[in-house]
Amino acid sequence: PERLEYPDIDDKWASIWQANPPRGTPTRGKFYCLSMFPYPSGNLHMGHVRVYTISDVIARYHRLRGYEVLHPMGWDAFGLPAENAAIERGIDPRVWTMANIKKMKGQMKKMLVSFDWDREFATCSPEYYKHTQKLFLTLFNQGYAYRAEAPVNWDPVDQTVLANEQVGSDGRSWRSGALVEQKSLWQWFFKITAFADELHSDLELLKEWPTSVKSMQQHWIGKSEGAEIVFGVKGCEELLHVYTTRPDTLLGVHYIALSATHPLVQRTILDGDSGITEFVDKMKSFTEDSKEGFRLPELEAIHPLTGSTLPIFVAPYVLDSYGHGAVMGVPAHDTRDFDFWKKNAPGQDFARVILPLSPNDPEYDPDGPYTSTSGKLAPSTGKYSGLSCTEGAEAIVRDLEALGKGYKSTNFRIRDWLVSRQRYWGAPIPIIHCPTCGTVPVPESELPVLLPDSIAHAGSGSPLARDEEWVNVVCPKCNGSAKRETDTMDTFVDSSWYYFRFPDADASQVPFSYEESSRMVPVDLYIGGVEHAILHLLYSRFFAKLFAKQGLWSGGSLNGEPFRRLITQGMVHGKTFTDPETERYLRPEEVDQSDPHKPVIKATQLSPNISFEKMSKSKYNGVDPEDCISKYGADATRAHILFQAPITDVLQWDDSKIVGIQRWLGRMWRHVLAVARDVEASGITHFSMPDQLTDVELTLWKDVQDTIAKTTEALGTSFTLNTTISNYTKLTNSVISAYSASQNATQDSDKIRLPVLLDATSKLVKISAPVVPATAEECWATLLQAQRLPWSSVFEIGSWPEIEPIHQEKTLIPHNIFINGKRRFSVDLDENWDQDKIAQTVLKTPNGQLWLVDRAGSKTVQRIIIPKGQKTVSYVL
Ligand code: ANZ
Ligand code: ZN
């Protein structure tokens, strides 16, 4: 056919591939290419299309290149939306989830993404969550999973726990509208803090991660180095431990501030002090930025070095979960302390103990705090006077150590991972609570602890707790009556280990096989949204390191790191029309877009404002991937999405620009048809490249080689996929124009011989195959048929074209060109050429034109001297 019909040829090739997967044996080692598995929400959106296109192109390329590629897909299938659908629409979460998976899988297939579907799994299947539970138990048995009391968002009307996302900015429940309360519950934690130091320092090993993601992780882990300092309390035995990063400022301390949960504050409350009880109550509505404070009556702290007494406050700016929930207040050198002191001790002076090295230090403000650490200790600090901040800190900590009143210490901001959810649609925590034996793990042989089939979703408390039959069990230890844990696991637990399972997705006895995971992990390329830059990646790194420590896998070559290279793809923004008069968002059907360059609002005939914004229902700027594929086909959709922006940038999706890609595909196809006709007409069935190429052939051949080299680099190393698309279109144009020039040529030396043309055309098809698989496969089949060769897929493993040595060019050596005795420029020449050929070649170069024509003026070439073996050409003008 003169035109390829999309998406018909997509369907045709999808079913052929299914029946005949590409043949060939990998020779180059493994390549684990992973895109973050999706939540089965119901439909693919353009963001999915973008990320799976990227991973598919890279996976297809690596197979062609001869790698053993693992390119799996699965479903992060537990979680809240399924449960909400159950509550709102009475649909079983299982049924809802499975229907969504089916739909989205169909959409992925329409995109022609080559996932290894035989490894597919959903985290909500008992075969998977059995292993999630098994891993929970290994953590529990080694003390990495523990229970503690922690606050939750509690909806007092629905009597249920809410996720943070279910609490509106007004502090009300999304469902009942009730004011959400904080309530303390016993909950499960994973001890990620045990790995805080490694998670921090090993970021350094991740050379192929975006710096921004690493610094977000670093910030989240929040390693800080400082000291613990012990203050006494006047008149009692109590000691106050304080964490500070600035021991050098110890002589500038004017007060101690404590969090509301600090034992000293709690004791004062118990002692019945009404003022503080009231203040602590009020504190609940204060933010961390508040500068309020309340002085603990009659209590004073004792400075560890000077022995002077200091007031003690309770203050909302002190966090109870950091350090010891206690701050030594240094108004002169800390902004928060400065503001606090001004408000709570108005008019009282404070000591400056760090001075700038120069009075012109721009950070120094005589009326504010000096927070820089590049100063020196002030004369008032006595024996420490003149020391730098670092030296001062060291000297002070040394002295404190000698007195037993302080020591060096490191603190982390990261907290343990709260994994329990009071929800139904998650993996049940495999624990039994027995009144006699306490917390008892479910024996491994009894896993999985299955979710009950049907449950009343509406109602109060945890859904699982409502199912009496499920909850009441016999204690595995004492056979007495006991109760199951009714919390389920955070879905982040499911998604923190899934990539270990793909290499051997059927393993039934173990979550993942030691051999296969050690062989395939670290993942070579992980692609996903930047919204997962912190939690998902951090939890995954924690699990991978913990599993390595437990001997579940080798730990790989990066000290237990799971992902060697990370790409965070940019968002896809939609074309958004607004009415310039009312600033209202316009529906696409309100705008006449028949001329894509000049849309008009139908009602007013005005031009709408056009912008690109995050796709959303309220802006009418969403694009449905399925519509797009059925309209333009998978190939054009894929190529367009890659072409519009570098993979990490925001992409402005504009349907009207896709014609450019369609034209390219059309041109390539028609060219292939023309070449195929020539091949068929020639009757030749065995083509081989001639030993010597003519000039025109060499030019074409070099273009092909050059594009192969660029594409190899782009798909294998730099992932500059947008420029790759333009390289394909450029090469297509050169092949086509070389072909038509050759057809119009009158001299044989200006014609391109059929084997050379076929070689160029086949290679163009081959290297564009990862991006436009159906078109390439159709072109490939056509070219094979014309040669009367049996069909084989363009995707045969290891069939990527090697870059060939340029035999004809080996003799091209740079020659210095002298004009009237002066060296002017250089030109690549073959020593074996005759003088005419050399003169012509030199004259054709831009420099030749410049020096021999433009600048020569009326002078003409008198003589050309080409001494043998000297790589020079001398002109006498
Ligand atoms: C005295 C001091 C003087 C401080 C100075 C800073 C500057 P990072 O770097 O984040 O670890 N701090 C300690 N515990 C706290 C808590 N529970 N809530 C709020 N703030 C707390 O921060 C460490 C600094 O945060 C500590 O160093 C302490 O203030 C404060 F010129 O101690 B600093
Ligand atoms: Zn028991």
Side-chain angles (χ1 to χ4, degrees), residues 224 243-246 249 317-320 322-328 330 333-334 336-337 411 413:
S224 104
Y243 174 71
T244 178
T245 44
R246 297 291 307 276
T249 65
Y317 84 92
V318 184
L319 310 172
D320 47 17
Y322 193 66
H324 297 279
V327 169
M328 61 179 220
V330 185
H333 303 293
D334 180 90
R336 293 169 304 178
D337 297 356
N411 242 296
R413 184 175 302 115

Side-chain angles (χ1 to χ4, degrees), residues 434-438 440 475-480 482:
C434 169
T436 324
C437 318
V440 184
C475 168
K477 259 195 187 159
C478 71
N479 286 325

Side-chain angles (χ1 to χ4, degrees), residues 534-596:
I534 300 178
L535 294 184
H536 166 61
L537 293 172
L538 197 65
Y539 295 153
S540 298
R541 296 179 60 219
F542 160 55
F543 266 22
K545 286 180 184 299
L546 178 63
F547 296 163
K549 199 148 284 178
Q550 293 175 326
L552 299 180
W553 73 298
S554 69
S557 49
L558 293 171
N559 198 30
E561 289 291 336
F563 311 121
R564 180 187 310 283
R565 180 161 181 179
L566 176 73
I567 290 183
T568 50
Q569 91 276 3
M571 294 227 297
V572 182
H573 284 181
K575 199 174 192 176
T576 315
F577 295 109
T578 28
D579 186 323
E581 291 180 314
T582 61
E583 286 179 11
R584 188 173 65 83
Y585 291 113
L586 298 165
R587 294 168 196 275
E589 58 275 15
E590 292 180 86
V591 181
D592 178 355
Q593 297 183 61
S594 46
D595 178 357

Side-chain angles (χ1 to χ4, degrees), residues 629-640:
I629 289 172
S630 54
K631 219 152 117 198
Y632 308 110
D635 289 353
T637 306
R638 293 161 57 109
H640 180 63

Side-chain angles (χ1 to χ4, degrees), residues 35-223:
S35 32
M36 292 181 182
F37 69 163
Y39 179 76
S41 55
N43 275 299
L44 290 195
H45 53 66
M46 289 313 282
H48 291 126
V49 176
R50 189 174 193 191
V51 67
Y52 305 137
T53 299
I54 295 167
S55 85
D56 189 51
V57 167
I58 293 170
R60 283 183 185 270
Y61 161 77
H62 280 86
R63 285 194 205 101
L64 277 167
R65 191 93 173 97
Y67 287 89
E68 177 195 358
V69 172
L70 183 62
H71 187 220
M73 185 37 65
W75 308 94
D76 188 13
F78 271 138
L80 215 52
E83 215 163 325
N84 291 344
I87 298 170
E88 285 169 3
R89 286 176 271 162
I91 313 171
D92 183 339
R94 212 172 264 99
V95 171
W96 185 84
T97 305
M98 288 310 169
N100 289 349
I101 288 177
K102 185 157 177 251
K103 175 130 195 249
M104 289 167 76
K105 184 172 173 179
Q107 293 174 323
M108 287 179 184
K109 290 194 166 178
K110 286 194 178 144
M111 284 177 59
L112 302 181
V113 185
S114 61
F115 287 131
D116 305 334
W117 287 112
D118 51 344
R119 298 172 191 270
E120 174 192 9
F121 56 74
T123 57
C124 66
S125 72
E127 297 78 52
Y128 184 88
Y129 73 70
K130 164 179 156 184
H131 296 297
T132 307
Q133 292 173 339
K134 211 173 257 184
L135 291 170
F136 180 96
L137 291 181
T138 58
L139 265 74
F140 176 77
N141 293 333
Q142 299 189 19
Y144 287 110
Y146 66 92
R147 248 178 134 215
E149 255 187 302
V152 293
N153 303 311
W154 181 255
D155 179 334
V157 172
D158 280 355
Q159 295 277 301
T160 183
V161 173
L162 299 176
N164 286 338
E165 310 84 77
Q166 296 174 314
V167 183
S169 51
D170 55 356
R172 289 179 180 276
S173 161
W174 67 301
R175 267 176 62 77
S176 69
L179 264 183
V180 172
E181 296 170 2
Q182 295 290 303
K183 185 172 162 174
S184 231
L185 285 186
W186 279 92
Q187 308 208 61
W188 287 93
F189 291 86
F190 286 166
K191 216 182 255 172
I192 192 172
T193 53
F195 286 76
D197 216 354
E198 248 181 276
L199 289 169
H200 171 90
S201 55
D202 285 354
L203 286 171
E204 206 176 290
L205 303 175
L206 303 175
K207 306 258 186 270
E208 297 177 86
W209 277 41
T211 321
S212 59
V213 172
K214 284 190 279 189
S215 67
M216 281 191 259
Q217 296 241 326
Q218 205 167 23
H219 187 78
W220 188 266
I221 298 166
K223 182 174 182 172

Side-chain angles (χ1 to χ4, degrees), residues 396-625:
I396 287 173
V397 172
R398 218 181 304 126
D399 288 349
L400 288 169
E401 262 166 356
L403 294 166
K405 288 181 177 171
Y407 47 90
K408 262 192 142 140
S409 132
T410 304
N411 242 296
F412 292 91
R413 184 175 302 115
I414 187 172
R415 298 281 80 107
D416 277 340
W417 173 11
L418 199 172
V419 297
S420 49
R421 297 289 180 272
Q422 293 70 40
R423 296 269 146 219
Y424 168 71
W425 196 232
I429 291 177
I431 290 286
I432 288 166
H433 300 289
C434 169
T436 324
C437 318
T439 310
V440 184
V442 173
E444 253 200 59
S445 59
E446 286 173 28
L447 296 183
V449 174
L450 287 173
L451 282 170
D453 269 345
S454 63
I455 206 154
H457 286 286
S460 67
S462 158
L464 288 178
R466 274 174 237 147
D467 189 331
E468 295 275 324
E469 206 182 312
W470 187 85
V471 169
N472 292 309
V473 284
V474 169
C475 168
K477 259 195 187 159
C478 71
N479 286 325
S481 58
K483 284 189 187 303
R484 280 195 194 287
E485 169 65 62
T486 57
D487 283 357
T488 53
M489 281 182 251
D490 179 5
T491 57
F492 275 109
V493 178
D494 311 322
S495 58
S496 298
W497 73 275
Y498 78 107
Y499 49 90
F500 276 106
R501 190 159 172 83
F502 283 129
D504 183 16
D506 296 325
S508 75
Q509 294 311 304
V510 286
F512 49 89
S513 110
Y514 178 94
E515 285 73 26
E516 281 304 294
S517 59
S518 301
R519 198 168 74 80
M520 299 308 282
V521 182
V523 169
D524 295 278
L525 176 65
Y526 197 28
I527 314 170
V530 75
E531 67 274 16
H532 292 302
I534 300 178
L535 294 184
H536 166 61
L537 293 172
L538 197 65
Y539 295 153
S540 298
R541 296 179 60 219
F542 160 55
F543 266 22
K545 286 180 184 299
L546 178 63
F547 296 163
K549 199 148 284 178
Q550 293 175 326
L552 299 180
W553 73 298
S554 69
S557 49
L558 293 171
N559 198 30
E561 289 291 336
F563 311 121
R564 180 187 310 283
R565 180 161 181 179
L566 176 73
I567 290 183
T568 50
Q569 91 276 3
M571 294 227 297
V572 182
H573 284 181
K575 199 174 192 176
T576 315
F577 295 109
T578 28
D579 186 323
E581 291 180 314
T582 61
E583 286 179 11
R584 188 173 65 83
Y585 291 113
L586 298 165
R587 294 168 196 275
E589 58 275 15
E590 292 180 86
V591 181
D592 178 355
Q593 297 183 61
S594 46
D595 178 357
H597 302 292
K598 211 188 160 303
V600 279
I601 304 173
K602 289 176 187 164
T604 59
Q605 293 300 311
L606 291 173
S607 306
N609 291 335
I610 300 175
S611 57
F612 286 87
E613 291 173 37
K614 196 176 162 176
M615 292 187 183
S616 91
K617 288 206 175 77
S618 62
K619 294 181 182 165
Y620 314 112
N621 60 354
V623 176
D624 179 359

